[in-house]
Amino acid sequence: MNNIQKSVLEEKHSNAMLLSTVVSMALLTFIFFVYTRLFGQIGAVLPLYNTLLILSFASWVISAVFAVLSLKKSEFFAEYSLLFSILTVCFFSMRGVPFISAKNAAIVTIALIVLYWVLSFAYHSFWQKFTLSKKAQTALILAFLAVSAILIVVFIVSLAKMPYFNLWYTKDLY
């Protein structure tokens, strides 16, 4: 690899790291906002539950868009596809699912965002030579998309069996 190609690759990794940092910080700010609203202001619960539901489905769509971009344009979009697949499950879990409380789901989401930032920083700074083949990358992205979609369906089915459950909360929960 000549110096120009190396310089371009380093710039791509640098830009990807900057974008990863911005995405991580924006997500952390949003999750901290949701966390304080969910557990600090009773009146804010219902709009946030609906917002988290919409964000869960929107995250899956964003993940699919990044998957297509990763396959068609550049492998740098793969990490965002994987991140938003994970956020799909996290946002829905923050509404409360049978096996984890909303509060614990918010804490896990915060931990996963921080872990993403650390791994992204390490990859774009030190592990740049580590690459997956296009087939392996595609398989990984499709697996994450499928697992997140299946988990959301499982959550919805399990929650639908609970008395008085509705995806769109319209009455007081208390």
Side-chain angles (χ1 to χ4, degrees):
M1 185 181 299
N2 65 29
N3 286 339
I4 294 174
Q5 288 175 325
K6 187 176 179 181
S7 176
V8 168
L9 183 63
E10 287 176 0
E11 185 176 346
K12 282 184 178 181
H13 278 286
S14 165
N15 290 340
M17 186 57 230
L18 287 172
L19 186 58
S20 296
T21 301
V22 169
V23 167
S24 297
M25 294 309 120
L27 286 169
L28 282 175
T29 302
F30 174 74
I31 299 302
F32 283 127
F33 171 76
V34 168
Y35 187 83
T36 56
R37 295 287 187 225
L38 277 179
F39 309 110
Q41 298 179 351
I42 301 293
V45 170
L46 297 178
L48 280 174
Y49 270 34
N50 292 336
T51 302
L52 288 169
L53 177 66
I54 292 167
L55 284 175
S56 178
F57 293 118
S59 293
W60 194 88
V61 170
I62 291 168
S63 179
V65 168
F66 278 127
V68 170
L69 289 173
S70 172
L71 297 173
K72 300 281 184 192
K73 299 251 181 201
S74 170
E75 71 275 357
F76 283 97
F77 292 109
E79 73 178 90
Y80 304 114
S81 178
L82 299 176
L83 172 67
F84 281 98
S85 291
I86 293 168
L87 287 176
T88 298
V89 176
C90 290
F91 286 147
F92 196 90
S93 299
M94 286 174 58
R95 302 176 79 240
V97 291
F99 59 90
I100 187 170
S101 70
K103 190 173 198 173
N104 289 337
I107 292 167
V108 168
T109 302
I110 291 168
L112 288 173
I113 292 169
V114 170
L115 178 65
Y116 160 72
W117 183 80
V118 169
L119 290 175
S120 180
F121 179 78
Y123 173 70
H124 292 297
S125 299
F126 311 111
W127 301 336
Q128 294 174 9
K129 292 181 173 63
F130 174 77
T131 58
L132 289 175
S133 69
K134 199 69 162 169
K135 268 187 178 175
Q137 182 181 333
T138 303
L140 186 65
I141 290 171
L142 292 176
F144 269 72
L145 283 169
V147 167
S148 62
I150 290 167
L151 280 175
I152 294 300
V153 170
V154 167
F155 292 162
I156 290 171
V157 169
S158 67
L159 289 174
K161 295 177 183 175
M162 295 174 64
Y164 308 112
F165 176 78
N166 185 350
L167 275 180
W168 295 97
Y169 289 103
T170 56
K171 298 187 183 206
D172 287 338
L173 298 173
Y174 304 99

